Amino acid sequence: MKSKHLSLELNQQETLPTLPGFPISCLLTTFTEKGYQLVDWHWHEQIQICYTTEGSILWSTDHQQFEVEKGKAFFINSQVLHRSSSVTTEASYFCLAVPPSFLCPDSKSQFFKENVQTIIDEGNLQYKVLDSTDKLSLEIIQLLKEIVNLLNSQESIHSFEIISKVFTIWSKLFIMFKPLLTGTPVIQNDRAKQMILYIQKHFSEPMTLSDLASHLQLSRSETSREFKRHLNQTMSEYLLHYRLKTAQKLLVETKEPIVTICYQCGFNDQSYFTKKFREVVGLTPKQYRNKQSSNKKS
């Protein structure tokens, strides 16, 4: 399963492009059979609301998965570890990402604490499917559709209308969430993030489960269980996938020889690298590079 490459900060939070003039991100992610079908594990400061425009999207969070079909949306709170993948052959979703500081710049104010911080800090509201079962969800989904239409018009003046709709969406979310506030503290998934950070920092080096266990100060068996429990895959599966994803990026963005990229990505055997690359991507590294080069020219 091919993965979209993410732009990450040093702490592996995703960095998102913003609406000109505003710290709001509006992104359309499209999964295709010949393209990528996965946006791998990551997190970010922004609060996200993702509206499925085509097909069906599988959202994975710590311990849980949610299938969100066309016409439904998915709320993801700030700093929540998550990933998305396609359920159907063709699928896409529009994502609105808003930093909490945009909703209220004065983070020390009572207004911020009551109307923004309470939602961010609520352990019961780390994610939620928005569907047709209630009026507020339908209204939020309609506002997301309207934002998509405004973006398609490519008129910069519409940025003001988009910003207006962002505040309306948050107002409706707050009304929806207020009865669900329990004061339950957020349980930060630091261990899962530590595992991801370690692998992404050392993926180019020889790495075993014992290395990760030593870093986490856990036994090998406990590390294996924790990885599977949090990320629903084994460490070796995640490591292989991350190495191949990085190789794809280097094949497109650099002119390094394929054998060099093989070793840079932690593989010590080019035949094995080519075999695994073909299994996952459907092409050899050389075929993939040539195809991406042809697509750029056309």
Side-chain angles (χ1 to χ4, degrees):
M1 182 176 283
K2 286 187 283 186
S3 171
K4 180 180 180 181
H5 186 82
L6 302 179
S7 176
L8 300 171
E9 296 176 352
L10 291 177
N11 62 355
Q12 300 305 304
Q13 293 191 89
E14 184 187 7
T15 55
L16 301 172
T18 57
L19 194 68
F22 299 94
I24 303 296
S25 299
C26 298
L27 308 167
L28 180 66
T29 295
T30 302
F31 295 129
T32 64
E33 187 174 12
K34 295 183 178 180
Y36 56 86
Q37 303 92 29
L38 171 71
V39 177
D40 215 344
W41 295 104
H42 65 284
W43 61 94
H44 34 70
E45 178 201 11
Q46 293 93 334
I47 296 160
Q48 282 191 333
I49 311 152
C50 301
Y51 166 65
T52 305
T53 55
E54 292 293 338
S56 188
I57 305 295
L58 182 67
W59 289 96
S60 300
T61 63
D62 187 24
H63 312 309
Q64 289 188 275
Q65 292 184 322
F66 305 86
E67 185 172 341
V68 182
E69 300 166 339
K70 180 179 179 179
K72 298 180 181 180
F74 192 60
F75 167 83
I76 309 165
N77 214 332
S78 175
Q79 302 293 356
V80 171
L81 183 68
H82 61 280
R83 77 171 185 172
S84 61
S85 58
S86 56
V87 176
T88 52
T89 304
E90 306 283 330
S92 61
Y93 63 89
F94 166 73
C95 176
L96 175 67
V98 184
S101 59
F102 179 77
L103 298 169
C104 177
D106 186 0
S107 61
K108 295 181 180 180
S109 68
Q110 192 64 27
F111 182 87
F112 182 87
K113 292 175 183 177
E114 292 179 356
N115 298 284
V116 181
Q117 196 72 53
T118 51
I119 302 298
I120 295 173
D121 289 346
E122 175 57 53
N124 194 40
L125 290 173
Q126 294 302 282
Y127 32 77
K128 183 173 175 60
V129 176
L130 307 179
D131 53 29
S132 59
T133 57
D134 68 271
K135 183 173 178 290
L136 283 170
S137 289
L138 285 172
E139 291 173 353
I140 291 168
I141 290 169
Q142 180 58 37
L143 286 164
L144 292 170
K145 291 180 183 178
E146 292 171 7
I147 289 176
V148 172
N149 291 335
L150 289 170
L151 289 168
N152 288 336
S153 71
Q154 297 184 341
E155 293 286 340
S156 60
I157 192 65
H158 286 157
S159 291
F160 293 110
E161 292 182 62
I162 292 171
I163 296 306
S164 173
K165 293 181 188 299
V166 167
F167 283 107
T168 303
I169 287 172
W170 184 254
S171 175
K172 292 180 182 298
L173 280 172
F174 185 81
I175 293 170
M176 180 194 301
F177 290 160
K178 191 172 182 179
L180 304 177
L181 295 174
T182 62
T184 303
V186 174
I187 300 175
Q188 293 294 343
N189 200 343
D190 291 337
R191 178 159 289 170
K193 292 178 181 178
Q194 283 177 353
M195 293 188 290
I196 289 172
L197 288 171
Y198 181 83
I199 291 175
Q200 294 186 353
K201 183 178 179 180
H202 299 281
F203 75 96
S204 62
E205 308 164 12
M207 188 188 305
T208 65
L209 183 62
S210 295
D211 296 324
L212 180 59
S214 177
H215 173 70
L216 297 173
Q217 297 183 323
L218 299 173
S219 68
R220 290 179 76 260
S221 59
E222 189 175 1
T223 300
S224 179
R225 285 196 302 271
E226 285 289 290
F227 205 101
K228 185 74 173 177
R229 184 170 71 91
H230 286 293
L231 303 178
N232 199 33
Q233 60 190 141
T234 66
M235 176 204 146
S236 59
E237 288 170 341
Y238 180 84
L239 176 60
L240 175 63
H241 178 82
Y242 188 78
R243 283 172 167 168
L244 291 174
K245 180 176 65 174
T246 305
Q248 286 178 261
K249 182 175 185 291
L250 293 175
L251 286 166
V252 174
E253 297 182 0
T254 75
K255 295 182 180 180
E256 293 282 357
I258 291 173
V259 65
T260 301
I261 291 174
C262 165
Y263 291 119
Q264 285 178 342
C265 293
F267 295 94
N268 56 17
D269 182 291
Q270 189 175 357
S271 297
Y272 178 76
F273 168 60
T274 300
K275 176 186 175 183
K276 289 300 178 182
F277 194 97
R278 184 191 284 120
E279 286 177 2
V280 173
V281 181
L283 301 168
T284 66
K286 183 177 180 180
Q287 290 170 336
Y288 179 81
R289 171 175 268 175
N290 292 339
K291 181 179 179 181
Q292 294 302 314
S293 178
S294 298
N295 289 343
K296 281 186 177 180
K297 291 177 182 178
S298 61

